[in-house]
Amino acid sequence: MKLIILAAPGAGKGTQAEMLSKHFNIPTISTGAILRKNIADGTELGEIAQQYINDGKFVPDDVMINIVSKRLNEDDCKEGFILDGFPRTIKQAEALDESDIDIDKVLTIEVDDEKIIERLSGRLECKACGSTFHKEHRKPKTEGVCDNCGGALTVREDDKPEVIKDRLDTYHTQTEPLKEFYANKGMLRTAIGQEEIAQTSAEVLKALED
Ligand code: AP5
């Protein structure tokens, strides 16, 4: 399965990508996670990305296309992968289209903006492995500690309320048009992500059946 997940920030892309990665036994390529790792490691890419992310903006297309095409050519992606966070603009989608990488399906997860704001303001993230938790909806077994690797849980810089609003605006203007782009190719599958995580996971698996 070669899958793109296309959804607003906080709609549950990362959460569902984690579930699908286990279900299909394929890796998740999260562009947000790649960028945050580079920021944490203080690389040149991290320095470029930091300001865009902190302002709720997208990192330039050329930079992202380069990162993803290199990553998808690695051996672990040969049998399939989940793209979480790429493409996010028409230019990125066209670059993927023109590459030799074939995509099977594009999944969109639909959630209202109000619910997204509530989810993101309660999100906790493991800096070590990138797993996400929530203060109410997905509590870790031990407060402040990642269930998967024992790393420390933190609040992301771009989960501050004023940045969340900018991220949503950027999503609606630049990423949402991709739904039509992929619907026209017959690749789009839609899941409603409004309800709790287990129910959303069931919706997601059902949407990917055909
Ligand atoms: P990225 O890391 O991809 O961030 P994002 O798109 O803003 O998505 P999130 O990771 O915030 O949300 P999610 O949908 O994965 O939600 P989650 O599952 O955690 O990118 C970060 C930044 O990098 C971008 O803003 C951009 O600047 C840059 N960037 C990345 N890719 C780029 C690209 N291709 N081009 C240009 N720039 C790029 O869920 C959220 C919370 O809700 C969690 O706490 C979770 O536990 C909880 N939750 C999830 N589902 C449910 C549910 N059903 N019910 C209740 N709670 C739930």
Side-chain angles (χ1 to χ4, degrees), residues 53 59 71 86 96:
I53 293 179
V59 173
R71 180 64 187 87
F86 185 95
L96 191 58

Side-chain angles (χ1 to χ4, degrees), residues 7-17 30-33 35-36 49 52-61 64-65 68 84-89 92 109 111 115-116 118-125 130 132-138 156 158-159 167 170-171 193-201:
K13 266 191 285 93
T15 306
Q16 296 306 324
S30 160
T31 44
L35 295 172
R36 282 189 290 280
Y52 291 100
I53 293 179
N54 287 355
D55 289 344
K57 304 276 183 291
F58 287 163
V59 173
D61 286 331
M64 297 312 303
I65 291 165
V68 172
D84 164 6
F86 185 95
R88 266 176 147 100
T89 63
Q92 292 179 11
I109 305 172
V111 181
K115 190 145 248 177
I116 282 176
E118 187 255 324
R119 285 187 191 168
L120 288 184
S121 42
R123 173 164 61 184
L124 300 166
E125 190 185 61
T132 58
F133 299 85
H134 192 277
K135 288 174 188 165
E136 301 298 329
H137 308 300
R138 196 186 184 194
R156 263 168 55 173
D158 60 348
D159 280 347
R167 286 163 65 199
T170 308
Y171 169 77
Q194 234 10 59
E195 303 305 329
E196 59 175 45
I197 293 172
Q199 200 169 328
T200 301
S201 297

Side-chain angles (χ1 to χ4, degrees), residues 17-49:
E18 215 179 303
M19 179 279 288
L20 289 168
S21 172
K22 287 179 191 148
H23 185 86
F24 291 114
N25 196 24
I26 49 176
T28 294
I29 316 302
S30 160
T31 44
I34 293 172
L35 295 172
R36 282 189 290 280
K37 168 102 178 44
N38 276 274
I39 292 170
D41 292 348
T43 67
E44 198 183 328
L45 168 63
E47 273 177 36
I48 296 170

Side-chain angles (χ1 to χ4, degrees), residues 159-177:
D159 280 347
K160 290 179 183 148
E162 61 281 13
V163 186
I164 295 173
K165 195 186 162 298
D166 288 341
R167 286 163 65 199
L168 280 170
D169 287 347
T170 308
Y171 169 77
H172 289 306
T173 53
Q174 297 199 50
T175 307
E176 238 177 346

